[in-house]
Amino acid sequence: MATELLSPPDVAAEAPVSAASPACSHCGLPVPAGLVEPGAAEQFCCHGCRTAYEVIRGCGLDRYYALRERTGAEGAPARGTGQRYGEFDDPVFQRLYCREVEVAGEGGAKCLATELRLEGVHCAACVWLVERLGRVAPGVIESRLDMRRALVRIVWNPGVTSLSRIARALDALGYPPHPARDASAREIRRAEDRRQLIRLAVAGACAGNVMLLALALYAGVFEAMEPAYAHLFRWTSMVISLVSLAWPGSVFFRGAVAALRTRTVHLDVPIALGLAAGALWSVIGTVRGTGEVYFDSLSVLVFAMLVGRFIQHRQQRWASDAVELLFSLTPTRARVVGEDGQVREAPIEAVARGDVVEVLAGESVPADGRVERGRSSIDQSLLTGESAPVAVREGDAVIAGAVNLSERILVRVEATGEETRVGRLMRMVEENARRRAPIVRAADRIAGWFVLGMIGLAAVTVGVWLWIEPSRALENAAALLIVTCPCALGLATPLAVTVALGRAARRQILVKGGDALERLARPGTIFLDKTGTVTEGRMRLVRWVGAEWVKPLAASVESVSSHPVARAIVAGLSDTPPAAPGSATETTGGGVDGRIGMWVVRIGSPRFVREAGVEEDEWVARAEAEIVGEGMTPVLVAVNDRVEAVAGLGDPVRADAAAAVAQLRARGWRVAMLSGDHPDVARAVGRRIGLEAAEARGGMTPEAKLEAVRGELARGSVVMVGDGVNDAAALAAATVGVAVHGGAEASLSAAAVYLNRPGLMPIVELVEGSRRTLGVIRRNLGVSLVYNAVSATLAVVGLINPLIAAVLMPASSLTVLTLSFRSRTFGSGRDAVVEGGR
Amino acid sequence: MSVLFIVLPLAVVIASCAVLAFIWAAREGQFDDLDTPPVRIVLGDDDNDA
């Protein structure tokens, strides 16, 4: 699943193809008619596929294609990007991401090792191909791919080859590499995973062996066992149980101590209390040779609780791995212009204050700075929430993360890394993430107290029965403890949450932690960001007032410009028949002048068009005012010195936004919008999705958004939905932060939920799914509590013996398992929100 | 039956050997990646069955 995220989106939709077109020899997709080479045995749909195919053939690795066939892999391989990867050879990059390793058989040469994340890893054949990298790039000593994480470890001899050459080889094979950031965090997580596995294994082994011994002891209840053997079994199970408590079980004691120190209630407290009380009682019983021992219950409890946590942890790790994959794909490279005017690729970490960096059209600005040379327009929507592009010229400030839209610019760097505006925002995010208090899970608390209660009840049972009929006292207490084994209770929440998280991920809703589901189950306030969340975050031609016949002229003239407004007009008019080509010139920050045959066309901002002294009718001003009033950008189209049409460009509201808001309201949520854009624009968009003027707040800085979330937190739970860096602090502070499709990496790291599908409907689905999940948890708890209450009563009054109890015990676990897997949470409910996607 | 006094501790020792072996394997990273090694084995080496 994780690798699916990396496959190119809708490759098939890129080019229209005829039904009879041949399949590409590399990726198997149909070849566009224009690229078919008549008579050639091999056909390619693009240059990238041809390169990959030639490299694979040339190195004698053809078997890849046969293997791919055999493994039945779906999805086309990614194509190479043809980048140079010069930054991979930078000393700063090597210091950050590479390590020196000793390799036998390389003549004592120092070898380097690094880990890279690959795009386009999708099947078993990829493992085969990537691990034979040495044939394509001589000097590579070892290459090991971790398929699920798309992470390759490469060891190479720097005396023979360079990392950029290896990166280019991977790229040519169709696996564009990216540096795997946060290596230390990954190392910590790997160690934690291993520790958890070891704890689980030790707890399991202890529980299994103590259970066997307990079975012998229980059997001894029926047929008198010689005291010497009973002692032996008790002492042995005591030793094993103490190992289980002291090693894997110590996590509960440590958790309990930490909770007591911070004076919070934590599920570990009752568990630790129960374990300690049970252990003490049993040890006394063993040493004195009289009384009941509960070693089996204790060690099974430790094991069951650890299994529950392990399952849940796995699922969450999966979601965070998937998010991390997306994270790694964001660029980490800058093009630094040297003293001599030479442009050199460098890792972003190597860029220093005072450097001049080159930013091409379509790239994002790597650091805060001022434009040194060039004019362009930049899109800052992820940082400011402002939907319209901003024109910049020499001397204007640009911030890291802004996307350069039209022209190449040179930027003199003024701040990098932590000191940039984005860096400061990210610090705010971290502070807010730390400050948030952990919530206590109702289910875990119940499970803990339940265990304690049952041990107490067992003691009472022994006491009461000693008084009524001493010979049956131990037997009934044992039956009670067996039949109320807390496995089902311990598993109730983790299972329901894990099943729900897995289902959500299949619906492209990635949830980083199970507690998010519990927090989302009860209605509160939802704050929506505007640009990119409620709207599409892109300029579109929304309105056309005036003459239809000038449309082809406008499209033709505007096609010379790469300004987003011009591009939106061209895209919006693509269904009109094209006009004859003419000549046109662009004025930066104004518009375009063109001549087509007998028509002189001038298109651009109202100021630019009116500067030429054009005539206009009174409807023009009215239409312009109306377009401005709706929060859109007006563009005038003048032909032969007369304004013929007014176009309205805006960032259109997502098609499902109004419906999603209505559905959220119907489920009891308060919905409001926080926008960094102008208040008038925010109100206009708010009206479209059914929000009152007071609920559509505009002109919000990131700090103001954070304040709004904090203020609302006092009243109840707050869900913040956003996509930009400007939302990141608010996302981290909210009860649950939700990052939407296509958001900035800052929002990815700050939010607890990531919607990997465009639109607002996934939010409704998330909220609904969470509510259902909590319902399943409650049902699981209810079932196991009722079951335990009934069977405990039977055991206490002496109606079942230990053997029947042992048969009944798994029944409650099985019921909980079945209920969890059959539950309707995400995407399968009766009134589930069905639209698009799988 | 008194053989139990020898056999039971022996069984515990054997079981702990198995646990130790597992711990060694986990620390070596044998369980870090459970998806790729099976694939690697099935695809085998290209040089002898191409």
Side-chain angles (χ1 to χ4, degrees):
Chain A
M1 281 294 289
T3 48
E4 249 181 54
L5 293 166
L6 292 179
S7 55
D10 285 334
V11 183
E14 265 177 23
V17 284
S18 66
S21 59
C24 172
S25 295
H26 177 62
C27 68
L29 290 174
V31 178
L35 292 174
V36 175
E37 289 176 42
E42 285 122 16
Q43 301 286 350
F44 300 99
C45 64
C46 65
H47 181 68
C49 284
R50 177 185 293 275
T51 314
Y53 186 80
E54 279 163 5
V55 170
I56 293 171
R57 291 300 291 246
C59 298
L61 294 169
D62 320 37
R63 196 158 163 261
Y64 166 71
Y65 295 105
L67 288 172
R68 203 177 60 189
E69 203 98 321
R70 210 163 81 200
T71 52
E74 281 178 30
R79 299 85 175 266
T81 57
Q83 282 168 0
R84 303 294 306 159
Y85 297 98
E87 79 276 11
F88 279 35
D89 290 335
D90 194 282
V92 177
F93 183 96
Q94 306 242 328
R95 203 184 62 226
L96 283 170
Y97 299 113
C98 305
R99 266 180 313 123
E100 273 185 18
V101 286
E102 295 281 330
V103 177
E106 280 297 314
K110 272 188 293 185
C111 290
L112 292 172
T114 191
E115 285 190 327
L116 299 172
R117 265 185 203 283
L118 303 182
E119 269 177 82
V121 173
H122 60 104
C123 71
C126 295
V127 178
W128 185 85
L129 188 58
V130 170
E131 300 201 338
R132 273 145 195 83
L133 186 64
R135 293 223 205 143
V136 184
V140 173
I141 296 157
E142 190 193 283
S143 140
R144 300 284 274 187
L145 180 69
D146 179 337
M147 192 167 69
R148 193 168 65 87
R149 297 180 187 84
L151 202 64
V152 66
R153 184 185 133 90
I154 293 173
V155 179
W156 79 99
N157 186 341
V160 180
T161 190
S162 65
L163 189 55
S164 65
R165 211 175 291 164
I166 298 170
R168 282 199 295 275
L170 279 167
D171 187 88
L173 288 176
Y175 306 105
H178 301 269
R181 281 182 274 172
D182 63 357
S184 58
R186 210 170 44 246
E187 207 45 56
I188 292 169
R189 251 182 289 162
R190 192 175 286 167
E192 173 57 30
D193 280 350
R194 287 179 189 172
R195 268 202 303 276
Q196 218 168 15
L197 200 61
I198 290 172
R199 277 201 295 265
L200 194 66
V202 174
C206 291
N209 283 297
V210 175
M211 283 276 258
L212 285 177
L213 291 167
L215 213 64
L217 279 170
Y218 290 136
V221 174
F222 299 107
E223 294 162 35
M225 185 189 273
E226 270 181 54
Y229 295 120
H231 276 299
L232 173 67
F233 287 141
R234 285 175 168 215
W235 277 93
T236 318
S237 48
M238 181 178 85
V239 171
I240 300 176
S241 300
L242 288 182
V243 168
S244 171
L245 285 173
W247 185 357
S250 65
V251 285
F252 301 111
F253 292 110
R254 275 204 300 269
V257 168
L260 289 179
R261 208 173 276 159
T262 53
R263 290 175 198 287
T264 46
V265 190
H266 191 268
L267 68 121
D268 283 347
V269 176
I271 294 174
L273 216 57
L275 290 177
L280 197 68
W281 180 263
S282 308
V283 169
I284 292 173
T286 309
V287 174
R288 291 174 58 191
T290 54
E292 192 52 78
V293 293
Y294 312 114
F295 292 123
D296 51 335
S297 294
L298 294 172
S299 48
V300 169
L301 175 67
V302 169
F303 181 55
M305 296 306 267
L306 284 177
V307 167
R309 288 186 184 188
F310 185 76
I311 294 174
Q312 208 172 334
H313 178 83
R314 269 284 149 108
Q315 186 62 45
Q316 289 169 14
R317 182 56 49 85
W318 187 88
S320 47
D321 271 351
V323 171
E324 202 178 285
L325 269 179
L326 294 166
F327 208 75
S328 289
L329 303 188
T330 53
T332 52
R333 151 190 31 219
R335 254 188 289 280
V336 179
V337 183
E339 297 290 325
D340 50 354
Q342 284 282 352
V343 177
R344 172 175 67 85
E345 286 177 332
I348 228 156
E349 293 86 352
V351 177
R353 232 184 119 134
D355 281 354
V356 175
V357 293
E358 179 192 52
V359 186
L360 300 181
E363 287 185 340
S364 54
V365 180
D368 287 5
R370 283 186 188 283
V371 178
E372 182 96 346
R373 189 149 10 116
R375 286 176 176 206
S376 182
S377 52
I378 57 167
D379 175 6
Q380 302 188 329
S381 62
L382 281 179
L383 304 148
T384 60
E386 208 173 305
S387 51
V390 183
V392 290
R393 51 193 297 174
E394 286 92 347
D396 284 349
V398 287
I399 40 180
V403 180
N404 180 15
L405 291 170
S406 45
E407 304 279 329
R408 167 182 179 266
I409 50 173
L410 298 181
V411 174
R412 166 96 43 198
V413 175
E414 287 181 345
T416 59
E418 290 250 297
E419 284 140 42
T420 59
R421 177 97 178 100
V422 177
R424 286 200 301 274
L425 282 174
M426 286 313 286
R427 257 208 308 280
M428 245 156 76
V429 169
E430 273 164 34
E431 276 164 25
N432 278 296
R434 258 205 311 275
R435 202 182 293 179
R436 200 167 53 194
I439 66 157
V440 186
R441 301 241 181 91
D444 287 330
R445 210 167 42 208
I446 295 173
W449 289 117
F450 174 82
V451 173
L452 205 59
M454 280 308 147
I455 288 179
L457 194 60
V460 173
T461 310
V462 173
V464 172
W465 277 94
L466 275 177
W467 185 52
I468 307 173
E469 194 184 340
S471 63
R472 291 187 60 193
L474 299 185
E475 190 185 325
N476 287 337
L480 173 73
L481 285 170
I482 298 170
V483 85
T484 58
C485 168
C487 316
L489 268 176
L491 288 174
T493 322
L495 263 180
V497 168
T498 304
V499 171
L501 291 185
R503 293 228 171 106
R506 269 206 293 279
R507 308 274 306 156
Q508 301 290 318
I509 300 171
L510 301 174
V511 185
K512 280 195 221 161
D515 54 344
L517 291 181
E518 228 170 297
R519 293 167 201 248
L520 279 166
R522 216 162 293 127
T525 307
I526 290 191
F527 283 130
L528 302 170
D529 168 49
K530 184 183 77 71
T531 315
T533 304
V534 172
T535 67
E536 290 178 7
R538 253 195 329 224
M539 273 278 176
R540 283 267 192 93
L541 178 63
V542 184
R543 185 78 65 78
W544 185 272
V545 187
E548 292 286 319
W549 63 270
V550 297
K551 278 184 174 177
L553 300 176
S556 170
V557 169
E558 286 285 50
S559 63
V560 302
S561 167
S562 58
H563 190 274
V565 168
R567 270 194 245 166
I569 290 179
V570 172
L573 297 179
S574 60
D575 53 341
T576 58
S583 60
T585 52
E586 187 182 358
T587 309
T588 303
V592 182
D593 282 300
R595 175 180 273 279
I596 299 170
M598 52 183 281
W599 312 114
V600 178
V601 186
R602 191 173 173 90
I603 308 176
S605 66
R607 196 172 47 83
F608 171 76
V609 173
R610 289 194 178 112
E611 268 171 11
V614 293
E615 297 171 33
E616 58 177 81
D617 294 331
E618 49 151 346
W619 61 265
V620 172
R622 220 171 36 238
E624 190 192 328
E626 199 176 302
I627 285 170
V628 172
E630 281 176 37
M632 292 188 287
T633 310
V635 170
L636 300 194
V637 182
V639 178
N640 290 350
D641 290 336
R642 189 181 168 81
V643 177
E644 297 288 356
V646 184
L649 281 107
D651 180 8
V653 173
R654 286 186 196 274
D656 60 356
V661 168
Q663 291 211 27
L664 286 171
R665 284 222 178 106
R667 285 171 168 80
W669 290 80
R670 259 171 37 76
V671 184
M673 192 173 75
L674 304 176
S675 172
D677 216 336
H678 193 273
D680 292 341
V681 181
R683 268 199 294 280
V685 170
R687 260 200 309 281
R688 299 278 298 280
I689 58 168
L691 295 178
E692 302 289 322
E695 291 170 331
R697 291 186 239 169
M700 310 276 285
T701 61
E703 289 81 6
K705 288 191 179 192
L706 176 59
E707 274 316 304
V709 167
R710 286 236 185 95
E712 200 64 28
L713 271 175
R715 292 175 49 187
S717 68
V718 180
V719 176
M720 174 76 204
V721 186
D723 71 324
V725 177
N726 60 332
D727 306 313
L731 285 172
T735 323
V736 176
V738 180
V740 299
H741 185 71
E745 62 174 296
S747 66
L748 278 186
S749 66
V753 181
Y754 174 62
L755 308 176
N756 196 20
R757 208 172 66 184
L760 289 186
M761 270 306 172
I763 302 175
V764 181
E765 218 175 291
L766 173 69
V767 165
E768 183 58 21
S770 304
R771 199 179 59 78
R772 291 210 189 121
T773 308
L774 199 68
V776 175
I777 293 175
R778 292 221 179 95
R779 200 170 57 198
N780 281 353
L781 283 176
V783 165
S784 47
L785 280 178
V786 166
Y787 166 88
N788 279 321
V790 171
S791 50
T793 317
L794 291 180
V796 169
V797 298
L799 286 176
I800 45 178
N801 64 34
L803 206 65
I804 296 172
V807 175
L808 283 178
M809 181 187 78
S812 69
S813 302
L814 278 178
T815 318
V816 167
L817 267 171
T818 320
L819 281 177
S820 295
F821 283 108
R822 289 196 45 81
S823 61
R824 291 154 172 259
T825 45
F826 280 90
S828 57
R830 298 164 300 279
D831 55 341
V833 202
V834 181
E835 42 77 66
R838 273 165 292 169
Chain B
M1 277 293 271
S2 55
V3 73
L4 268 178
F5 287 100
I6 300 162
V7 173
L8 194 61
L10 195 68
V12 171
V13 169
I14 292 172
S16 42
C17 285
V19 171
L20 286 177
F22 182 87
I23 291 170
W24 170 83
R27 289 214 173 122
E28 282 287 297
Q30 303 275 341
F31 302 99
D32 285 355
D33 177 10
L34 298 176
D35 304 313
T36 326
V39 165
R40 212 171 269 150
I41 279 182
V42 170
L43 296 184
D45 208 20
D46 44 316
D47 299 320
N48 33 32
D49 74 326

